[in-house]
Amino acid sequence: MHIVVCIKQVPDSAQIRVHPVTNTIMRQGVPAIVNPYDLFALEEALRLKDQFGGRVTVLCMGPPQAEDALRKCISFGATDAILVTDRSFAGADTLATSYALAAAIRKIGQEQAVDLIFTGKQTIDGDTAQVGPGIAKRLGVNLLTYVSRIVEVDLDGRRIRVERRAEGGVQLLETTLPSLITMLEGTNEMRFATMADMLRAGRCPVRRWNKDDAGIEDVSKIGLKGSPTVVSKVFGPTPRATKAEMQVVADSSVNDVCLNLLQKIFTTHPTLEEETVERLSA
Amino acid sequence: RNTELPEHLKAYKGVWVFIEHDRGHVHSVSWELMGEARKLADTLGVTVSGVLMGGPGDDLDRYAKEAYAYGADRCYLVRDPVLQGYRNEPFTKGLTDLVNTYQPEILLLGATTMGRDLAGSVATTLGTGLTADCTELRIDGRALAATRPTFGGSLLCTIMTLAYRPQMATVRPRVMAMPRRDDTRSGDIVEMALGMVETDIVTKLLDFIPDASRNTVNLAYADIIVTGGKGLKTAENFKLVWELARVLGAEVGATRAVTQAGWTETDRQVGQTGKTVRPKLYIAAGVSGAIQHRVGMESSDCIVAINTDPNAPIFDFAHHGIVGNAMQVLPVLTQTFRNHLAKRVRIAA
Ligand SMILES: Cc1cc2nc3c(=O)[nH]c(=O)nc-3n(C[C@H](O)[C@H](O)[C@H](O)COP(=O)(O)OP(=O)(O)OC[C@H]3O[C@@H](n4cnc5c(N)ncnc54)[C@H](O)[C@@H]3O)c2cc1C
Ligand SMILES: Cc1cc2nc3c(=O)[nH]c(=O)nc-3n(C[C@H](O)[C@H](O)[C@H](O)COP(=O)(O)OP(=O)(O)OC[C@H]3O[C@@H](n4cnc5c(N)ncnc54)[C@H](O)[C@@H]3O)c2cc1C
């Protein structure tokens, strides 16, 4: 079985700070990590490899330093890694990103046919969840989003059955290979890297492809040119004009503070009291 | 750069909302979007249309009437047995064909598991721009200016699709207010055939397993939410949140720190990577007010925060703040509400 897992390198948003004056993101010193959602996709792919044998290729589009993210994936057990990197990719929105990744996957498929493609549910920076569906449409493969469980893969019969999270329930879907799965978070737990894989991660060559290597001919479809969306403004959230009306427990008794709060809430929101009474009486 | 709208795309007119429905009900996010669509269309001087797709088991005509009541002038209907239950392939074809035939300038979808699956597919098929999880939609010139939070809400950006049509955007449930319903409004229906048969479709929907507990689904639409944060220190103390919620007939929410600690179910997480809520009353105890939490609840009508730290960020956007120990305040607050409501509820009952 040959599986391609798409991973993105993202800034660790837990550590991102916004400059209080300029309202720009302060990236200096913020470590770059593998998009956490993509690890659920990678682990699921590795489990299928454990079961069926074959290979897991990790694919990333990004700047040269994104190689670190790919090596991290090798340390978890991915077979090999490809970094698609080219200045002409800069400024890509999701449409241009899916175009470039789909081209690279087609190219990978020429070396060895691809049975399954995985992506994460979404990233933690762009956060759109649009790249997975985009790749699937461009490759014309079956799209399975928000997959919570892979029920069964029949490699010889070329069929796959999955559970998909939907609003208010779970869909049981069956389709044919190849398909693209966007994996839901929390569905598995990433294995520990073995010593052997960690050593391999240091040595294993990460293949670098520029746009020509990735088989991209139409440059009007990539980077800023290939992106229909235009970012017109970036700004920080506006602080609320008035601060909270404060009460300090030490200044008066807890009872007084609570009674005072109740009265304030119910006098400023009179319907709330009626509705609460109604709900409790029902 | 892609900033000039080509001549042939200038014919695209009108604002559309994809109406999502499931087991007899339209998802409220569709009506929230209808309210926004109405405002955008009025600014542009164009009409609002709803798109309804479904199978023989779906009462699309009833949904169309609701759509008019919430602001639509027209509904495009696609009825076909293969559209019973959501699947990507036939829905993508139906929506793409409708757009190519009737050419709307703006197309809005809910950022649900269905809406995101469909929006990403349709935008790619049409080769147009799609802005995800918008929190504000405006018209700038004649184009849609869609604002969305990024980097977990620390920054906002406004995105425009200037040279392609339609301009597509998704919005999460509860981000926009529910519009007023006016049952005297009416509209017209345009039907289109899908032109697909079951054997054309590779993916089969074998079963649908509804969620056992519908509780958590209500979080987004609860009138009152009591949320506990890591400041409560232990799972045992978190029960104080449940007690206050019970007295108010409220839902319980949590921060990510709390769901990660396993004090309550992950479905109760409010915020950027959890649910967006806009209750009438939001009580947060031991919650610092991190930006990722804030973006999920700041549209609440009345926010109350209980925190030992007078400088906690949550006091910057709460309406009422109590500086104090939640373990001390919560039981008293619960008792105060119980006393007050007990009199009223008995009389009402
Ligand atoms: C602040 C900001 C806001 C943005 N808003 C929008 C917007 O509204 N609409 C829009 O079209 N673009 C938007 N973009 C651009 C978008 O983030 C980029 O196109 C990005 O390359 C991919 O989108 P994403 O991060 O949202 O990925 P998602 O669609 O959330 O990613 C889903 C999955 O696709 C895979 N994947 C994504 N990117 C890569 C990659 N480079 N290499 C390998 N695998 C990948 C991963 O498996 C990931 O889990 C925005 C960017 C920024 C910085
Ligand atoms: C990509 C990303 C996505 C995220 N998504 C979400 C999300 O969806 N939702 C979310 O909530 N978070 C999210 N987070 C996490 C977020 O950044 C915060 O870490 C989290 O919200 C903090 O939770 P907390 O307020 O419960 O805990 P803390 O930040 O630890 O705050 C505890 C608060 O309790 C107060 N306190 C302490 N003792 C008491 C006491 N006795 N009585 C009263 N108050 C007391 C403290 O002063 C403090 O303000 C996300 C983070 C990242 C990086």
Side-chain angles (χ1 to χ4, degrees):
Chain A
M1 178 178 269
H2 185 200
I3 305 173
V4 174
V5 182
C6 300
I7 64 122
K8 187 182 183 186
Q9 190 187 47
V10 295
D12 185 353
S13 69
Q15 300 189 41
I16 280 198
R17 296 287 171 272
V18 176
H19 194 282
V21 179
T22 57
N23 261 334
T24 49
I25 290 185
M26 307 199 291
R27 284 175 189 257
Q28 289 101 317
V30 176
I33 55 172
V34 179
N35 175 40
Y37 291 110
D38 298 349
L39 295 178
F40 299 106
L42 177 60
E43 172 60 25
E44 210 59 33
L46 292 172
R47 286 183 188 189
L48 290 173
K49 175 169 137 313
D50 293 344
Q51 196 184 340
F52 292 95
R55 51 198 299 125
V56 170
T57 303
V58 277
L59 170 67
C60 176
M61 177 180 108
Q65 58 269 30
E67 189 177 314
D68 296 342
L70 288 166
R71 287 198 189 280
K72 186 87 193 165
C73 296
I74 296 174
S75 78
F76 287 124
T79 323
D80 54 353
I82 295 170
L83 176 65
V84 185
T85 186
D86 197 304
R87 294 192 87 123
S88 58
F89 293 143
D93 73 358
T94 57
L95 195 74
T97 300
S98 71
Y99 182 84
L101 289 172
I105 294 168
R106 245 182 242 118
K107 201 78 186 190
I108 292 170
Q110 286 170 10
E111 294 173 4
Q112 184 187 347
V114 176
D115 301 297
L116 272 175
I117 302 153
F118 277 94
T119 74
K121 181 182 92 166
Q122 62 191 59
T123 62
I124 60 168
D125 55 350
D127 189 4
T128 65
Q130 288 168 193
V131 171
I135 296 173
K137 288 296 132 182
R138 293 193 179 280
L139 294 175
V141 302
N142 305 305
L143 171 65
L144 300 165
T145 52
Y146 303 100
V147 169
S148 52
R149 191 164 81 93
I150 295 177
V151 182
E152 202 189 333
V153 180
D154 175 0
L155 197 52
D156 300 323
R158 308 294 298 159
R159 301 201 76 78
I160 181 167
R161 194 177 276 204
V162 302
E163 287 179 1
R164 169 180 187 270
R165 167 97 327 243
E167 304 300 307
V170 170
Q171 289 184 320
L172 181 63
L173 292 167
E174 187 176 281
T175 193
T176 55
L177 298 178
S179 34
L180 183 144
I181 290 176
T182 84
M183 202 68 204
L184 203 64
E185 77 275 21
T187 42
N188 58 39
E189 216 164 304
M190 180 44 87
R191 61 196 56 199
F192 288 106
T194 62
M195 190 48 85
D197 280 333
M198 282 201 280
L199 290 173
R200 194 168 55 87
R203 291 192 310 259
C204 176
V206 167
R207 287 199 274 168
R208 283 198 188 183
W209 286 0
N210 63 20
K211 68 169 176 29
D212 299 320
D213 301 325
I216 292 164
E217 279 151 21
D218 189 351
V219 288
S220 74
K221 294 266 171 60
I222 56 171
L224 211 52
K225 265 209 199 107
S227 299
T229 64
V230 176
V231 178
S232 72
K233 200 168 94 180
V234 180
F235 54 105
T238 35
R240 192 166 279 183
T242 50
K243 266 199 79 141
E245 207 173 307
M246 303 292 277
Q247 296 190 73
V248 181
V249 166
D251 297 348
S252 48
S253 77
V254 191
N255 281 309
D256 289 348
V257 165
C258 288
L259 202 58
N260 196 0
L261 176 68
L262 179 145
Q263 277 158 358
K264 273 195 188 135
I265 293 172
F266 283 161
T267 43
T268 47
H269 298 83
T271 56
L272 188 66
E273 180 170 0
E274 297 313 315
E275 284 158 2
T276 306
V277 170
E278 242 170 69
R279 192 170 50 245
L280 292 167
S281 307
Chain B
R1 296 229 39 166
N2 300 312
T3 51
E4 275 307 310
L5 187 64
E7 208 53 44
H8 73 280
L9 292 177
K10 290 186 179 154
Y12 280 61
K13 284 278 152 61
V15 183
W16 283 18
V17 175
F18 173 77
I19 302 175
E20 176 172 340
H21 58 88
D22 173 37
R23 285 163 295 153
H25 296 283
V26 171
H27 197 303
S28 312
V29 71
S30 304
W31 303 146
E32 291 157 17
L33 286 176
M34 198 62 84
E36 289 303 301
R38 189 69 261 170
K39 287 185 234 163
L40 297 173
D42 289 345
T43 309
L44 290 166
V46 297
T47 59
V48 174
S49 304
V51 175
L52 279 160
M53 299 201 263
D58 300 315
D59 194 351
L60 300 187
D61 297 288
R62 176 163 59 88
Y63 304 154
K65 287 208 182 73
E66 278 188 83
Y68 304 141
Y70 285 115
D73 302 304
R74 163 174 292 180
C75 282
Y76 292 96
L77 260 57
V78 188
R79 295 182 225 255
D80 197 293
V82 305
L83 295 170
Q84 191 72 54
Y86 176 74
R87 283 182 294 174
N88 178 273
E89 259 173 293
F91 274 77
T92 300
K93 177 172 189 319
L95 188 52
T96 308
D97 287 353
L98 277 175
V99 165
N100 283 330
T101 311
Y102 297 103
Q103 310 190 327
E105 61 199 294
I106 294 173
L107 171 57
L108 308 176
L109 300 92
T112 59
T113 55
M114 186 199 292
R116 283 176 149 198
D117 182 285
L118 183 60
S121 303
V122 169
T124 308
T125 310
L126 294 169
T128 191
L130 170 59
T131 308
D133 292 3
C134 304
T135 52
E136 194 193 317
L137 300 171
R138 265 183 321 105
I139 299 295
D140 183 349
R142 235 208 113 76
L144 178 69
T147 297
R148 61 172 310 232
T150 47
F151 291 100
S154 350
L155 267 191
L156 295 153
C157 63
T158 302
I159 293 181
M160 301 178 81
T161 296
L162 296 166
Y164 299 81
R165 290 292 178 267
Q167 307 158 82
M168 292 180 60
T170 63
V171 177
R172 284 166 59 152
R174 293 309 263 158
V175 167
M176 302 300 181
M178 190 75 178
R180 221 175 260 290
R181 190 183 166 125
D182 176 2
D183 284 303
T184 62
R185 291 190 87 258
S186 65
D188 60 359
I189 282 184
V190 175
E191 298 224 27
M192 197 189 75
L194 183 66
M196 240 181 166
V197 289
E198 186 55 46
T199 45
D200 294 338
I201 304 165
V202 179
T203 303
K204 304 296 173 195
L205 175 56
L206 305 179
D207 200 2
F208 182 86
I209 308 126
D211 292 335
S213 88
R214 308 264 328 168
N215 275 354
T216 47
V217 182
N218 288 336
L219 189 61
Y221 289 90
D223 271 348
I224 305 180
I225 294 173
V226 186
T227 288
K230 205 59 195 295
L232 295 175
K233 307 277 196 309
T234 65
E236 188 59 30
N237 290 337
F238 193 78
K239 289 185 185 147
L240 298 172
V241 169
W242 281 97
E243 279 159 33
L244 177 57
R246 197 167 47 80
V247 164
L248 290 169
E251 272 293 343
V252 168
T255 61
R256 189 168 85 162
V258 163
T259 55
Q260 281 185 339
W263 297 354
T264 189
E265 306 98 298
T266 43
D267 294 28
R268 297 197 178 274
Q269 183 180 314
V270 173
Q272 170 78 11
T273 46
K275 300 246 163 29
T276 302
V277 300
R278 52 186 308 150
K280 293 175 179 146
L281 176 60
Y282 190 91
I283 302 176
V287 174
S288 59
I291 188 72
Q292 295 88 355
H293 187 76
R294 175 179 176 172
V295 293
M297 46 65 76
E298 66 184 335
S299 322
S300 309
D301 292 344
C302 177
I303 300 169
V304 174
I306 305 162
N307 199 305
T308 41
D309 175 7
N311 297 317
I314 193 150
F315 291 131
D316 294 341
F317 56 96
H319 302 94
H320 301 284
I322 295 180
V323 180
N325 179 350
M327 274 65 91
Q328 189 192 2
V329 175
L330 279 175
V332 179
L333 192 59
T334 304
Q335 192 56 43
T336 309
F337 274 111
R338 188 186 285 130
N339 292 345
H340 182 85
L341 292 166
K343 299 176 232 155
R344 304 269 340 255
V345 172
R346 220 178 306 120
I347 296 161

